Amino acid sequence: MNAAHIHLLLNHIPILGALFGIILLIFGLIRKNNALSQAALITFIMAAIVTLPVDWSGEQAEEIVEELPGISHDLIHKHEEIAELAVKFMLGLGVLSLLTLILGAWHVKIGRILRWITLLLSFAVFFLMTRAGNSGGEISHPEIRKDFKIEKAPETKDLEEKDND
């Protein structure tokens, strides 16, 4: 297993972790359920931790795939730029979540305010992570690119003409 494989295996965890954390935190805030809010904060912390090997393996994956046929250096660069910002925001969310857990246990009102701030940041993180994931997918999946057009292969057209005869 190489770094590109590790990157592909792990890169969905921060995206889904942000989404699941948002859902848990919304329910925790609406229901005033501290256990759900804490589960959300722990989810954000875990997603932030997994972001580190995703980032590391992404750097290594670039070295592996950049010279493969059909791989665009422009798409790799676009993904790298978006991912760098997403990683910074995710790590910030992880730190804020840890502070919210600690300070929330110490002071209820501060914890409540920090949970709302964490929720707002988590929306930005989810948006950035989904953009990073999509831009990464565009590198080797042309079918998800905006400029993708379906074209039939020449041999397919010849076979269809023979079938019509």
Side-chain angles (χ1 to χ4, degrees):
M1 187 180 316
N2 62 26
H5 193 192
I6 292 168
H7 190 69
L8 291 170
L9 286 172
L10 296 180
N11 66 22
H12 297 88
I13 295 172
I15 299 168
L16 295 174
L19 177 61
F20 294 146
I22 287 169
I23 293 168
L24 285 170
L25 190 52
I26 287 172
F27 278 109
L29 289 167
I30 290 171
R31 294 181 176 204
K32 296 183 171 124
N33 185 318
N34 196 41
L36 281 175
S37 294
Q38 287 177 341
L41 296 170
I42 292 168
T43 300
F44 291 142
I45 293 167
M46 298 304 293
I49 290 169
V50 173
T51 300
L52 294 171
V54 171
D55 185 41
W56 170 83
S57 62
E59 294 289 332
Q60 303 302 313
E62 177 183 6
E63 300 298 320
I64 294 169
V65 303
E66 68 184 343
E67 298 304 323
L68 293 176
I71 299 298
S72 164
H73 290 281
D74 289 340
L75 290 176
I76 290 174
H77 181 70
K78 174 185 167 189
H79 172 61
E80 189 174 24
E81 293 295 314
I82 295 168
E84 283 176 3
L85 183 61
V87 167
K88 288 175 185 173
F89 270 73
M90 177 57 91
L91 294 176
L93 178 62
V95 170
L96 178 60
S97 296
L98 182 61
L99 288 173
T100 302
L101 269 177
I102 294 167
L103 295 175
W106 174 70
H107 195 279
V108 176
K109 187 174 183 178
I110 291 172
R112 196 173 317 123
I113 292 167
L114 287 175
R115 280 190 204 93
W116 282 103
I117 294 169
T118 302
L119 181 63
L120 292 175
L121 179 58
S122 69
F123 283 115
V125 167
F126 180 65
F127 172 75
L128 288 169
M129 281 291 168
T130 55
R131 286 199 55 219
N134 191 64
S135 68
E138 288 177 352
I139 294 169
S140 58
H141 290 283
E143 71 276 10
I144 67 169
R145 296 180 197 155
K146 289 179 185 174
D147 60 349
F148 179 71
K149 291 183 177 54
I150 298 175
E151 295 181 23
K152 288 189 177 182
E155 59 273 359
T156 305
K157 291 178 185 175
D158 293 342
L159 288 174
E160 287 176 357
E161 288 173 9
K162 286 181 184 176
D163 286 341
N164 292 335
D165 291 339

